[in-house]
Amino acid sequence: MSSYNDNQEEKYVGGDALSSSAHFSLQSKSNESNVMSNSNHKFNSGAFFDKIFRNSTMFFAFVVFSVIFAIMATLVVSSLPALKAFGAGFFFSDTWNPVTIQFGGLVPIYGTLVTAAIAMVIGIPVSFGIAMFITELCPNWLKRPLGVAIELLAGIPSIIYGMWGLFVFAPLFADYGQPWINDHLGSLPFIGVIFAGPTMGIGMLTAGIILAIMVIPFTSSVMRDVFEVVPPLLKESAYGLGATTWEVLKNIVLPYTKIGVVGGIMLGLGRALGETMAVTFVIGNAHELSASLLMPGNTISSALANEFTEAVGDVYTSSLITLGLTLFIITFIVLACAKLLLIKLAAQEGKQS
């Protein structure tokens, strides 16, 4: 009898153990299913938000293309009256007479290109020197104040540059700069005509110099930033081999940062091509084509600023908008050339490696 009871107790204990094991197994499966459900829910929500993010960024990218296309279409449509009236001759005529309704865009187009070229000829070497000095030669205690000063110059409004150029720089340039240019450069063969002219202080050369002062902070800031990303190990290795500062900059820094340097130059060129108020103050605003850089001239931006509010008639307004379209095309061509240059540099780098 006692043996029978013991067997029954063992069976009961064994059944209870099996029941507990089964219950634990079911609970484990339930927990696993809950974890899988939560992970699937998190995965589905993550995929949903990822899709929203991807579509949103794609929408923003297409907004940029849409804005560019809308601007281009508006300029083309608004330019049709002038293009129908004057044809391709509009871009090669220096006539600008609102009284007789005869318009040509050669003078402002020429002035835009010349002043931007002057700004780049002056601004690129100066910006390069500033960036090289700050990154390679400047004492540590002077780096930060000099960098802040350059950033402050970049933040000054263009109208301030124009007022300073008209009331301060132009009189000094007329008294000291232009007479020296006339005496020393105006008499040179072939190129003397470029530097000969009246000493009025204002003119295309003055506008180019003011533009150079304006673009130097932008270009030098970008160059400084890209020069600072060069690994110190590369420069220290070159210095260890006996290279000079110029050799390090030429053979190490510039090849490593050429894309950023070209980007900084293009940024400055874009500022020079589209600048309005500063140029309007000092260029003279004359629709006269002259080979002399000391003579007054005009740019596309200054012509639009001076005459757009006074334009009467469809042809007059359309001629001004055609100038805006021309500036848009010039900017596009400059950016395309810069991109092709970068592609060519990258291809040469691949061949060298």
Side-chain angles (χ1 to χ4, degrees), residues 280-297:
T280 304
F281 272 93
V282 298
I283 198 170
N285 303 304
H287 281 284
E288 297 178 2
L289 188 63
S290 175
S292 175
L293 298 179
L294 304 184
M295 291 293 293

Side-chain angles (χ1 to χ4, degrees), residues 116-126 212:
I118 294 172
M120 291 295 100
V121 169
I122 299 174
I124 291 175
V126 175

Side-chain angles (χ1 to χ4, degrees), residues 4-351:
Y4 175 78
N5 290 333
D6 291 340
N7 290 335
Q8 289 296 108
E9 289 178 0
E10 289 178 0
K11 289 181 180 180
Y12 178 77
V13 172
D16 187 50
L18 290 175
S19 176
S20 299
S21 176
H23 178 71
F24 178 76
S25 177
L26 290 175
Q27 187 175 5
S28 298
K29 290 182 179 180
S30 176
N31 292 336
E32 290 178 0
S33 63
N34 290 333
V35 170
M36 291 294 294
S37 177
N38 292 332
S39 62
N40 290 333
H41 177 71
K42 291 181 180 179
F43 177 77
N44 293 332
S45 62
F48 174 72
F49 286 114
D50 183 69
K51 186 176 181 180
I52 292 178
F53 177 75
R54 182 172 61 252
N55 293 333
S56 299
T57 53
M58 185 182 299
F59 171 76
F60 297 149
F62 278 105
V63 166
V64 174
F65 285 109
S66 301
V67 170
I68 294 176
F69 178 78
I71 293 174
M72 188 70 178
T74 303
L75 291 174
V76 170
V77 172
S78 301
S79 300
L80 291 178
L83 295 177
K84 290 180 181 179
F86 308 112
F90 174 86
F91 302 101
F92 304 99
S93 173
D94 61 347
T95 302
W96 191 271
N97 193 337
V99 178
T100 59
I101 317 298
Q102 295 295 321
F103 301 101
L106 181 60
V107 173
I109 293 173
Y110 171 77
T112 298
L113 297 177
V114 169
T115 53
I118 294 172
M120 291 295 100
V121 169
I122 299 174
I124 291 175
V126 175
S127 301
F128 185 80
I130 292 173
M132 180 178 65
F133 175 76
I134 293 177
T135 56
E136 301 296 331
L137 303 173
C138 183
N140 291 330
W141 61 269
L142 187 58
K143 282 186 177 181
R144 187 171 183 83
L146 191 57
V148 172
I150 293 174
E151 292 172 358
L152 287 176
L153 284 176
I156 296 176
S158 59
I159 192 171
I160 303 301
Y161 281 105
M163 294 173 64
W164 176 83
L166 179 63
F167 296 115
V168 178
F169 180 79
L172 294 175
F173 196 50
D175 293 337
Y176 303 102
Q178 290 180 340
W180 187 92
I181 293 174
N182 267 324
D183 296 339
H184 294 82
L185 301 179
S187 59
L188 295 177
F190 303 110
I191 64 171
V193 65
I194 299 176
F195 302 102
T199 57
M200 297 182 293
I202 60 175
M204 287 193 294
L205 182 58
T206 305
I209 294 173
I210 297 299
L211 283 177
I213 296 173
M214 295 180 65
V215 303
I216 284 172
F218 293 93
T219 308
S220 60
S221 295
V222 175
M223 288 185 179
R224 179 196 64 187
D225 292 339
V226 298
F227 286 173
E228 288 179 345
V229 302
V230 179
L233 182 62
L234 296 178
K235 296 188 289 185
E236 291 173 0
S237 301
Y239 284 125
L241 293 174
T244 63
T245 302
W246 168 249
E247 289 173 339
V248 170
L249 195 66
K250 178 183 176 182
N251 300 318
I252 303 297
V253 176
L254 280 181
Y256 194 88
T257 61
K258 57 180 178 291
I259 295 178
V261 170
V262 173
I265 293 173
M266 290 301 107
L267 178 64
L269 181 57
R271 177 76 187 269
L273 287 172
E275 180 53 43
T276 304
M277 293 308 300
V279 175
T280 304
F281 272 93
V282 298
I283 198 170
N285 303 304
H287 281 284
E288 297 178 2
L289 188 63
S290 175
S292 175
L293 298 179
L294 304 184
M295 291 293 293
N298 213 343
T299 65
I300 294 175
S301 299
S302 60
L304 293 175
N306 285 321
E307 302 187 30
F308 201 86
T309 57
E310 301 175 358
V312 178
D314 294 338
V315 177
Y316 193 178
T317 304
S318 179
S319 298
L320 293 172
I321 296 177
T322 305
L323 291 178
L325 175 63
T326 306
L327 182 60
F328 187 92
I329 295 173
I330 291 173
T331 305
F332 178 80
I333 293 174
V334 168
L335 294 177
C337 292
K339 185 64 177 178
L340 292 176
L341 176 62
L342 293 176
I343 293 174
K344 186 176 180 180
L345 291 175
Q348 291 178 352
E349 187 178 64
K351 291 179 181 179

